[in-house]
């Protein structure tokens, strides 16, 4: 985007733009935790830049959610309640956000890199002709210039790009779910709540039919136990063994990108930089070498158990427990051991 094409930005006065906004996503089942997680970096930045932290909520029947962002660290909530916002349409949500941004002029705007965030925020960026950095993993600030430094891995996680938008406002960023932890919830916090009445446009998108898709398995980003397989499994059959272990211990299966590329597991179960970040209590990495792009997705896992034939595999440097061996022997042995302990425990109780 060249400066010539955007004359409105030629005379940017940064002092007119103040405040950090976080878009709080309301789903049918309630607030999307991924958006509350953003209050963690946003609170730190707001304190550093000495500005207010504002949560923005759009939807229908949203009053019951208004205090939550404040309990998690926001100073203020701005909300728009309208029947037309019950169903999510990117152009409608985008237009409402553009209206609010034009009125309040926040210097920074964050949204979670969810399906909605990835769709809606580029709409806002394009309409306002400002910059957007997708999938950020960290932030800092140049306080003097009030520039946000948006940090994200570019094509390999061995590098970290530091991106800034010095001549446009607001500075827009999306953040992957589970990269930041939820802030501490404090019901004693108080803040201001502002209702905004804005014209909500009709969507240009027409819904032709709606089909409910039943998701059988817990999404990996929400699972407590994950048994994950890589190229070392050798074939899709390897995942049958991993599923058996996962079922036994109440977990779900996931995989590396190589396993996804091979067609052994679906992309929605890919862990890593171009997949999902997980935060499970227990993560088994089976036949996974431990490439930087994979490790990126397991930073928030509490306990990592690596099973690999190669004692030099990098995954062992990032694991709490390592088992050197062929998974075709190790996993059945683990399954047998777990089963036998359960039987023994059961018989003692009888
Ligand atoms: C821009 C970019 C984004 C990427 N995003 C992702 C991403 O999101 N997620 C991701 O995972 N990767 C990603 N990658 C790919 C990444 O760099 C690695 O290529 C990939 O993670 C390797 O997958 P793997 O560990 O399954 O396979 P390999 O690296 O081939 O490792 C297989 C491992 O299995 C072990 N093994 C072999 N046989 C057995 C056996 N019988 N029992 C036990 N162990 C065995 C081997 O010793 C080896 O360590 C990305 C790459 C790029 C460039």
């Amino acid at each position: 985007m060249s400066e010539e094409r955007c004359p409105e930005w030629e005379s940017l006065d940064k002092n007119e733009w103040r405040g950090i906004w976080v878009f709080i996503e309301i789903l049918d089942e309630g607030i999307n935790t991924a958006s509350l997680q953003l209050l963690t970096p946003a609170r730190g930045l707001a304190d550093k830049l000495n500005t207010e932290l504002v949560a923005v909520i759009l939807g229908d029947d949203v009053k019951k959610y208004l205090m939550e962002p404040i309990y998690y660290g926001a100073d203020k909530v701005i909300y728009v309640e309208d029947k037309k916002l019950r169903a999510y349409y990117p152009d409608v949500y985008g237009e409402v956000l553009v209206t609010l941004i034009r009125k309040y002029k926040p210097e920074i705007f964050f949204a979670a890199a969810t399906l909605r965030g990835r769709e809606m925020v580029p709409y806002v960026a394009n309409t306002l002709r400002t910059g957007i950095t997708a999938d950020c993993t960290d932030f800092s600030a140049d306080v003097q210039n009030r520039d946000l430094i948006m940090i994200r891995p570019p094509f390999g996680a061995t590098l970290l790009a530091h991106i800034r938008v010095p001549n446009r406002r607001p500075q827009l960023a999306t953040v992957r779910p589970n990269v930041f932890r939820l802030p501490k919830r404090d019901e004693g916090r108080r803040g201001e709540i502002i209702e905004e009445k804005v014209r909500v446009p009709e969507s240009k998108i027409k819904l032709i039919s709606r089909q409910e898709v039943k998701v059988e398995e817990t999404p990996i980003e929400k699972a407590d136990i994950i048994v994950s397989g890589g190229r070392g499994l050798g074939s899709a059959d390897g995942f049958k063994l991993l599923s058996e272990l996962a079922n036994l211990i109440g977990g779900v299966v996931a995989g590396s990108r190589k396993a996804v590329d091979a067609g052994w597991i679906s992309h929605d179960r890919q862990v890593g930089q171009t997949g999902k970040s997980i935060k499970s209590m227990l993560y088994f990495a089976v036949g996974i070498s431990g490439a930087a792009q994979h490790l990126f997705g397991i930073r928030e896992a509490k306990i990592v158990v690596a099973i690999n034939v190669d004692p030099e595999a990098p995954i062992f440097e990032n694991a709490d427990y390592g088992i050197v061996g062929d998974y075709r022997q190790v996993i059945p042995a683990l399954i047998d051991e777990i089963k036998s302990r359960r039987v023994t425990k059961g018989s003692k109780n009888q």
Side-chain angles (χ1 to χ4, degrees):
M1 202 189 314
S2 70
E3 291 295 326
E4 297 74 52
R5 284 177 53 212
C6 305
E8 70 262 39
W9 288 117
E10 275 168 16
S11 55
L12 168 69
D13 178 0
K14 290 183 182 176
N15 291 322
E16 288 179 3
W17 298 78
R18 280 291 180 271
I20 301 183
W21 281 19
V22 171
F23 178 73
I24 300 294
E25 200 172 309
I26 308 295
L27 304 172
D28 287 347
E29 58 272 24
I31 296 183
N32 190 341
T33 314
S35 51
L36 290 173
Q37 291 168 349
L38 305 189
L39 292 166
T40 296
R43 181 71 266 167
L45 287 163
D47 293 342
K48 205 168 170 183
L49 291 166
N50 195 20
T51 194
E52 63 184 8
L53 174 54
V54 180
V56 182
I57 294 183
L58 312 183
D60 179 30
D61 193 19
V62 293
K63 289 201 177 63
K64 52 186 175 281
Y65 302 121
L66 299 180
M67 282 309 289
E68 279 307 305
I70 290 173
Y71 295 157
Y72 281 104
D75 301 313
K76 219 182 237 182
V77 174
I78 298 175
Y79 75 101
V80 179
E81 201 172 48
D82 193 297
K83 293 254 171 297
K84 281 193 240 164
L85 295 168
R86 171 172 284 277
Y88 160 77
Y89 288 100
D91 53 344
V92 177
Y93 271 57
E95 279 302 324
V96 172
L97 287 174
V98 165
T99 306
L100 294 176
I101 289 171
R102 285 196 167 124
K103 174 171 178 183
Y104 285 93
K105 299 192 166 195
E107 55 200 309
I108 293 171
F109 181 98
F110 289 144
T114 55
L115 288 174
R116 289 186 185 189
R118 284 173 199 264
E119 195 172 49
M120 189 183 70
V121 187
Y123 182 100
V124 174
N126 187 48
T127 309
L128 295 173
R129 291 283 190 263
T130 185
I132 172 174
T133 306
D135 273 353
C136 294
T137 55
D138 207 355
F139 300 98
S140 67
D142 172 347
V143 178
Q144 207 186 343
N145 291 309
R146 297 196 77 82
D147 284 346
L148 176 67
I149 315 294
M150 297 169 272
I151 303 170
R152 58 152 296 158
F155 295 107
T158 43
L159 279 176
L160 282 176
H162 288 55
I163 299 163
R164 66 165 91 198
V165 179
N167 302 320
R168 308 282 162 93
R169 290 294 181 266
Q171 304 157 90
L172 303 176
T174 62
V175 184
R176 286 164 61 108
N178 297 334
V179 168
F180 293 99
R181 279 170 202 220
L182 265 184
K184 209 165 151 282
R185 188 174 183 279
D186 173 5
E187 285 198 20
R189 292 193 88 256
R190 292 290 168 260
E192 193 184 348
I193 293 179
I194 302 170
E195 177 172 18
E196 272 295 329
K197 297 275 181 202
V198 305
R199 196 188 74 79
V200 179
E202 296 293 337
S203 176
K204 295 187 189 78
I205 302 164
K206 288 285 161 259
L207 186 65
I208 294 166
S209 75
R210 189 183 165 119
Q211 199 181 347
E212 296 284 330
V213 180
K214 199 163 173 262
V215 180
E216 299 290 346
E217 262 200 325
T218 310
I220 59 169
E221 63 275 24
K222 293 194 177 149
D224 279 337
I225 300 176
I226 298 175
V227 184
S228 191
R231 180 153 58 182
L233 296 192
S235 73
D237 274 351
F239 274 96
K240 290 187 187 152
L241 208 49
L242 300 202
S243 290
E244 197 182 335
L245 175 61
N247 288 338
L248 199 60
I249 56 180
V252 300
V253 288
S256 72
R257 177 155 148 183
K258 292 290 176 197
V260 172
D261 288 348
W264 301 340
I265 188 157
S266 59
H267 180 256
D268 66 317
R269 310 200 81 74
Q270 179 184 316
V271 176
Q273 189 189 322
T274 42
K276 290 179 174 170
S277 295
I278 56 92
K279 51 171 184 175
S280 57
M281 291 299 297
L282 185 57
Y283 184 79
F284 284 91
V286 186
I288 292 176
S289 59
Q293 295 88 353
H294 188 83
L295 297 176
F296 176 83
I298 64 171
R299 293 186 310 179
E300 291 294 323
K302 303 280 175 307
I303 297 172
V304 175
V305 181
I307 300 169
N308 200 302
V309 277
D310 176 7
E312 303 294 326
I315 189 75
F316 286 125
E317 282 166 34
N318 296 277
D320 300 283
Y321 299 93
I323 303 173
V324 178
D326 189 322
Y327 84 94
R328 287 166 294 195
Q329 273 115 47
V330 176
I331 300 283
L334 264 175
I335 290 172
D336 287 348
E337 182 65 23
I338 294 165
K339 281 183 178 166
S340 73
R341 284 185 186 226
R342 286 193 180 166
V343 171
T344 315
K345 199 175 164 210
S347 51
K348 263 188 201 160
N349 290 342
Q350 278 162 12

mmCIF file of all heavy atoms in Angstrom, residues 300-329:
data_model
loop_
_atom_site.group_PDB
_atom_site.id
_atom_site.type_symbol
_atom_site.label_atom_id
_atom_site.label_comp_id
_atom_site.label_asym_id
_atom_site.label_seq_id
_atom_site.Cartn_x
_atom_site.Cartn_y
_atom_site.Cartn_z
ATOM 1 N N GLU A 300 3.048 -24.342 25.521
ATOM 2 C CA GLU A 300 2.223 -24.266 26.730
ATOM 3 C C GLU A 300 1.852 -25.643 27.281
ATOM 4 O O GLU A 300 1.090 -25.735 28.228
ATOM 5 C CB GLU A 300 0.946 -23.459 26.447
ATOM 6 C CG GLU A 300 1.187 -21.969 26.217
ATOM 7 C CD GLU A 300 1.701 -21.240 27.449
ATOM 8 O OE1 GLU A 300 1.264 -21.571 28.567
ATOM 9 O OE2 GLU A 300 2.576 -20.369 27.292
ATOM 10 N N ALA A 301 2.385 -26.707 26.673
ATOM 11 C CA ALA A 301 2.105 -28.053 27.215
ATOM 12 C C ALA A 301 2.840 -28.193 28.550
ATOM 13 O O ALA A 301 3.980 -27.731 28.683
ATOM 14 C CB ALA A 301 2.580 -29.112 26.233
ATOM 15 N N LYS A 302 2.178 -28.830 29.528
ATOM 16 C CA LYS A 302 2.816 -28.899 30.859
ATOM 17 C C LYS A 302 3.879 -30.011 30.884
ATOM 18 O O LYS A 302 4.986 -29.793 31.321
ATOM 19 C CB LYS A 302 1.761 -29.170 31.945
ATOM 20 C CG LYS A 302 0.639 -28.164 31.997
ATOM 21 C CD LYS A 302 1.058 -26.897 32.746
ATOM 22 C CE LYS A 302 -0.017 -25.829 32.708
ATOM 23 N NZ LYS A 302 -0.542 -25.432 31.410
ATOM 24 N N ILE A 303 3.500 -31.209 30.461
ATOM 25 C CA ILE A 303 4.454 -32.327 30.490
ATOM 26 C C ILE A 303 4.543 -32.916 29.083
ATOM 27 O O ILE A 303 3.524 -33.284 28.488
ATOM 28 C CB ILE A 303 4.003 -33.414 31.487
ATOM 29 C CG1 ILE A 303 3.985 -32.824 32.907
ATOM 30 C CG2 ILE A 303 4.921 -34.639 31.430
ATOM 31 C CD1 ILE A 303 3.383 -33.733 33.942
ATOM 32 N N VAL A 304 5.767 -32.989 28.569
ATOM 33 C CA VAL A 304 5.971 -33.551 27.228
ATOM 34 C C VAL A 304 6.724 -34.873 27.362
ATOM 35 O O VAL A 304 7.764 -34.953 28.023
ATOM 36 C CB VAL A 304 6.779 -32.572 26.339
ATOM 37 C CG1 VAL A 304 7.094 -33.197 24.982
ATOM 38 C CG2 VAL A 304 6.020 -31.266 26.166
ATOM 39 N N VAL A 305 6.151 -35.913 26.756
ATOM 40 C CA VAL A 305 6.798 -37.233 26.740
ATOM 41 C C VAL A 305 7.170 -37.530 25.288
ATOM 42 O O VAL A 305 6.297 -37.558 24.415
ATOM 43 C CB VAL A 305 5.833 -38.330 27.259
ATOM 44 C CG1 VAL A 305 6.525 -39.690 27.258
ATOM 45 C CG2 VAL A 305 5.322 -37.985 28.654
ATOM 46 N N ALA A 306 8.465 -37.728 25.008
ATOM 47 C CA ALA A 306 8.899 -37.993 23.632
ATOM 48 C C ALA A 306 9.240 -39.462 23.467
ATOM 49 O O ALA A 306 9.907 -40.057 24.328
ATOM 50 C CB ALA A 306 10.115 -37.138 23.304
ATOM 51 N N ILE A 307 8.766 -40.023 22.371
ATOM 52 C CA ILE A 307 9.100 -41.416 22.039
ATOM 53 C C ILE A 307 9.713 -41.387 20.638
ATOM 54 O O ILE A 307 9.056 -40.980 19.669
ATOM 55 C CB ILE A 307 7.842 -42.310 22.067
ATOM 56 C CG1 ILE A 307 7.212 -42.270 23.473
ATOM 57 C CG2 ILE A 307 8.176 -43.747 21.651
ATOM 58 C CD1 ILE A 307 5.829 -42.891 23.566
ATOM 59 N N ASN A 308 10.970 -41.776 20.551
ATOM 60 C CA ASN A 308 11.663 -41.643 19.266
ATOM 61 C C ASN A 308 12.813 -42.656 19.202
ATOM 62 O O ASN A 308 13.471 -42.898 20.208
ATOM 63 C CB ASN A 308 12.222 -40.208 19.144
ATOM 64 C CG ASN A 308 12.522 -39.833 17.709
ATOM 65 O OD1 ASN A 308 13.309 -40.508 17.037
ATOM 66 N ND2 ASN A 308 11.893 -38.778 17.236
ATOM 67 N N VAL A 309 13.038 -43.225 18.023
ATOM 68 C CA VAL A 309 14.141 -44.197 17.879
ATOM 69 C C VAL A 309 15.522 -43.532 17.928
ATOM 70 O O VAL A 309 16.511 -44.190 18.233
ATOM 71 C CB VAL A 309 14.086 -44.986 16.536
ATOM 72 C CG1 VAL A 309 13.159 -46.158 16.616
ATOM 73 C CG2 VAL A 309 13.772 -44.079 15.359
ATOM 74 N N ASP A 310 15.539 -42.235 17.610
ATOM 75 C CA ASP A 310 16.830 -41.551 17.500
ATOM 76 C C ASP A 310 17.144 -40.808 18.805
ATOM 77 O O ASP A 310 16.487 -39.808 19.114
ATOM 78 C CB ASP A 310 16.744 -40.560 16.315
ATOM 79 C CG ASP A 310 18.001 -39.736 16.169
ATOM 80 O OD1 ASP A 310 18.987 -40.004 16.889
ATOM 81 O OD2 ASP A 310 17.987 -38.806 15.328
ATOM 82 N N PRO A 311 18.153 -41.262 19.549
ATOM 83 C CA PRO A 311 18.458 -40.590 20.831
ATOM 84 C C PRO A 311 18.900 -39.144 20.647
ATOM 85 O O PRO A 311 18.854 -38.356 21.579
ATOM 86 C CB PRO A 311 19.582 -41.445 21.428
ATOM 87 C CG PRO A 311 20.119 -42.273 20.327
ATOM 88 C CD PRO A 311 19.055 -42.395 19.278
ATOM 89 N N GLU A 312 19.314 -38.805 19.412
ATOM 90 C CA GLU A 312 19.772 -37.424 19.137
ATOM 91 C C GLU A 312 18.628 -36.522 18.671
ATOM 92 O O GLU A 312 18.863 -35.348 18.349
ATOM 93 C CB GLU A 312 20.845 -37.428 18.026
ATOM 94 C CG GLU A 312 22.071 -38.298 18.300
ATOM 95 C CD GLU A 312 22.870 -37.770 19.475
ATOM 96 O OE1 GLU A 312 22.907 -36.543 19.642
ATOM 97 O OE2 GLU A 312 23.422 -38.596 20.223
ATOM 98 N N ALA A 313 17.429 -37.042 18.582
ATOM 99 C CA ALA A 313 16.322 -36.226 18.054
ATOM 100 C C ALA A 313 16.124 -34.988 18.934
ATOM 101 O O ALA A 313 16.107 -35.092 20.168
ATOM 102 C CB ALA A 313 15.036 -37.049 18.007
ATOM 103 N N PRO A 314 15.980 -33.803 18.315
ATOM 104 C CA PRO A 314 15.867 -32.555 19.100
ATOM 105 C C PRO A 314 14.685 -32.545 20.073
ATOM 106 O O PRO A 314 14.712 -31.820 21.056
ATOM 107 C CB PRO A 314 15.676 -31.484 18.019
ATOM 108 C CG PRO A 314 16.058 -32.103 16.731
ATOM 109 C CD PRO A 314 16.005 -33.585 16.867
ATOM 110 N N ILE A 315 13.678 -33.344 19.797
ATOM 111 C CA ILE A 315 12.506 -33.355 20.681
ATOM 112 C C ILE A 315 12.898 -33.688 22.120
ATOM 113 O O ILE A 315 12.303 -33.192 23.071
ATOM 114 C CB ILE A 315 11.419 -34.351 20.161
ATOM 115 C CG1 ILE A 315 10.102 -34.206 20.933
ATOM 116 C CG2 ILE A 315 11.883 -35.799 20.211
ATOM 117 C CD1 ILE A 315 9.288 -33.002 20.609
ATOM 118 N N PHE A 316 13.942 -34.498 22.287
ATOM 119 C CA PHE A 316 14.330 -34.900 23.646
ATOM 120 C C PHE A 316 14.813 -33.704 24.475
ATOM 121 O O PHE A 316 14.690 -33.707 25.692
ATOM 122 C CB PHE A 316 15.412 -35.993 23.587
ATOM 123 C CG PHE A 316 14.867 -37.335 23.179
ATOM 124 C CD1 PHE A 316 15.404 -38.023 22.101
ATOM 125 C CD2 PHE A 316 13.818 -37.930 23.878
ATOM 126 C CE1 PHE A 316 14.904 -39.263 21.715
ATOM 127 C CE2 PHE A 316 13.305 -39.167 23.508
ATOM 128 C CZ PHE A 316 13.847 -39.840 22.424
ATOM 129 N N GLU A 317 15.353 -32.701 23.778
ATOM 130 C CA GLU A 317 15.805 -31.514 24.524
ATOM 131 C C GLU A 317 14.634 -30.695 25.040
ATOM 132 O O GLU A 317 14.784 -29.831 25.889
ATOM 133 C CB GLU A 317 16.646 -30.615 23.616
ATOM 134 C CG GLU A 317 18.057 -31.131 23.443
ATOM 135 C CD GLU A 317 18.758 -30.440 22.296
ATOM 136 O OE1 GLU A 317 18.504 -29.248 22.059
ATOM 137 O OE2 GLU A 317 19.545 -31.133 21.618
ATOM 138 N N ASN A 318 13.478 -30.966 24.483
ATOM 139 C CA ASN A 318 12.292 -30.200 24.871
ATOM 140 C C ASN A 318 11.261 -31.063 25.578
ATOM 141 O O ASN A 318 10.103 -30.684 25.690
ATOM 142 C CB ASN A 318 11.661 -29.572 23.621
ATOM 143 C CG ASN A 318 12.591 -28.563 22.988
ATOM 144 O OD1 ASN A 318 12.628 -27.420 23.415
ATOM 145 N ND2 ASN A 318 13.381 -29.011 22.023
ATOM 146 N N ALA A 319 11.693 -32.238 26.022
ATOM 147 C CA ALA A 319 10.742 -33.165 26.663
ATOM 148 C C ALA A 319 11.056 -33.303 28.153
ATOM 149 O O ALA A 319 12.196 -33.153 28.579
ATOM 150 C CB ALA A 319 10.838 -34.525 25.983
ATOM 151 N N ASP A 320 10.020 -33.567 28.927
ATOM 152 C CA ASP A 320 10.219 -33.827 30.361
ATOM 153 C C ASP A 320 10.601 -35.289 30.565
ATOM 154 O O ASP A 320 11.321 -35.627 31.494
ATOM 155 C CB ASP A 320 8.928 -33.504 31.115
ATOM 156 C CG ASP A 320 8.548 -32.047 30.927
ATOM 157 O OD1 ASP A 320 9.169 -31.208 31.575
ATOM 158 O OD2 ASP A 320 7.672 -31.760 30.084
ATOM 159 N N TYR A 321 10.059 -36.164 29.720
ATOM 160 C CA TYR A 321 10.388 -37.584 29.775
ATOM 161 C C TYR A 321 10.704 -38.045 28.361
ATOM 162 O O TYR A 321 10.017 -37.663 27.416
ATOM 163 C CB TYR A 321 9.216 -38.415 30.326
ATOM 164 C CG TYR A 321 8.833 -38.029 31.732
ATOM 165 C CD1 TYR A 321 7.839 -37.085 31.966
ATOM 166 C CD2 TYR A 321 9.484 -38.590 32.831
ATOM 167 C CE1 TYR A 321 7.495 -36.701 33.257
ATOM 168 C CE2 TYR A 321 9.155 -38.203 34.135
ATOM 169 C CZ TYR A 321 8.159 -37.264 34.335
ATOM 170 O OH TYR A 321 7.837 -36.887 35.615
ATOM 171 N N GLY A 322 11.736 -38.850 28.210
ATOM 172 C CA GLY A 322 12.089 -39.346 26.888
ATOM 173 C C GLY A 322 12.199 -40.860 26.888
ATOM 174 O O GLY A 322 12.763 -41.443 27.819
ATOM 175 N N ILE A 323 11.656 -41.473 25.882
ATOM 176 C CA ILE A 323 11.787 -42.924 25.728
ATOM 177 C C ILE A 323 12.428 -43.162 24.366
ATOM 178 O O ILE A 323 11.849 -42.801 23.326
ATOM 179 C CB ILE A 323 10.418 -43.639 25.799
ATOM 180 C CG1 ILE A 323 9.710 -43.300 27.124
ATOM 181 C CG2 ILE A 323 10.584 -45.167 25.635
ATOM 182 C CD1 ILE A 323 8.275 -43.811 27.212
ATOM 183 N N VAL A 324 13.643 -43.732 24.360
ATOM 184 C CA VAL A 324 14.306 -44.034 23.092
ATOM 185 C C VAL A 324 13.876 -45.436 22.680
ATOM 186 O O VAL A 324 14.129 -46.414 23.404
ATOM 187 C CB VAL A 324 15.842 -43.958 23.228
ATOM 188 C CG1 VAL A 324 16.509 -44.316 21.898
ATOM 189 C CG2 VAL A 324 16.269 -42.567 23.671
ATOM 190 N N GLY A 325 13.181 -45.509 21.557
ATOM 191 C CA GLY A 325 12.731 -46.823 21.106
ATOM 192 C C GLY A 325 11.751 -46.714 19.963
ATOM 193 O O GLY A 325 11.277 -45.617 19.631
ATOM 194 N N ASP A 326 11.463 -47.855 19.382
ATOM 195 C CA ASP A 326 10.494 -47.923 18.280
ATOM 196 C C ASP A 326 9.083 -47.842 18.870
ATOM 197 O O ASP A 326 8.746 -48.616 19.771
ATOM 198 C CB ASP A 326 10.697 -49.259 17.539
ATOM 199 C CG ASP A 326 9.881 -49.316 16.267
ATOM 200 O OD1 ASP A 326 8.737 -48.817 16.264
ATOM 201 O OD2 ASP A 326 10.384 -49.877 15.272
ATOM 202 N N TYR A 327 8.296 -46.916 18.363
ATOM 203 C CA TYR A 327 6.963 -46.725 18.946
ATOM 204 C C TYR A 327 6.115 -47.998 18.854
ATOM 205 O O TYR A 327 5.227 -48.226 19.670
ATOM 206 C CB TYR A 327 6.251 -45.536 18.274
ATOM 207 C CG TYR A 327 5.543 -45.879 16.978
ATOM 208 C CD1 TYR A 327 4.196 -46.207 16.954
ATOM 209 C CD2 TYR A 327 6.244 -45.897 15.764
ATOM 210 C CE1 TYR A 327 3.551 -46.522 15.773
ATOM 211 C CE2 TYR A 327 5.614 -46.217 14.593
ATOM 212 C CZ TYR A 327 4.271 -46.535 14.589
ATOM 213 O OH TYR A 327 3.629 -46.874 13.435
ATOM 214 N N ARG A 328 6.439 -48.844 17.852
ATOM 215 C CA ARG A 328 5.638 -50.065 17.680
ATOM 216 C C ARG A 328 5.853 -51.034 18.842
ATOM 217 O O ARG A 328 5.049 -51.924 19.077
ATOM 218 C CB ARG A 328 5.970 -50.733 16.339
ATOM 219 C CG ARG A 328 5.384 -49.949 15.161
ATOM 220 C CD ARG A 328 5.969 -50.373 13.851
ATOM 221 N NE ARG A 328 7.393 -50.041 13.778
ATOM 222 C CZ ARG A 328 8.104 -50.030 12.648
ATOM 223 N NH1 ARG A 328 7.540 -50.351 11.508
ATOM 224 N NH2 ARG A 328 9.374 -49.716 12.666
ATOM 225 N N GLN A 329 6.964 -50.851 19.555
ATOM 226 C CA GLN A 329 7.150 -51.627 20.788
ATOM 227 C C GLN A 329 6.735 -50.818 22.024
ATOM 228 O O GLN A 329 6.107 -51.351 22.942
ATOM 229 C CB GLN A 329 8.619 -52.037 20.945
ATOM 230 C CG GLN A 329 8.979 -53.347 20.252
ATOM 231 C CD GLN A 329 9.958 -53.134 19.117
ATOM 232 O OE1 GLN A 329 10.951 -52.438 19.291
ATOM 233 N NE2 GLN A 329 9.676 -53.699 17.960
#
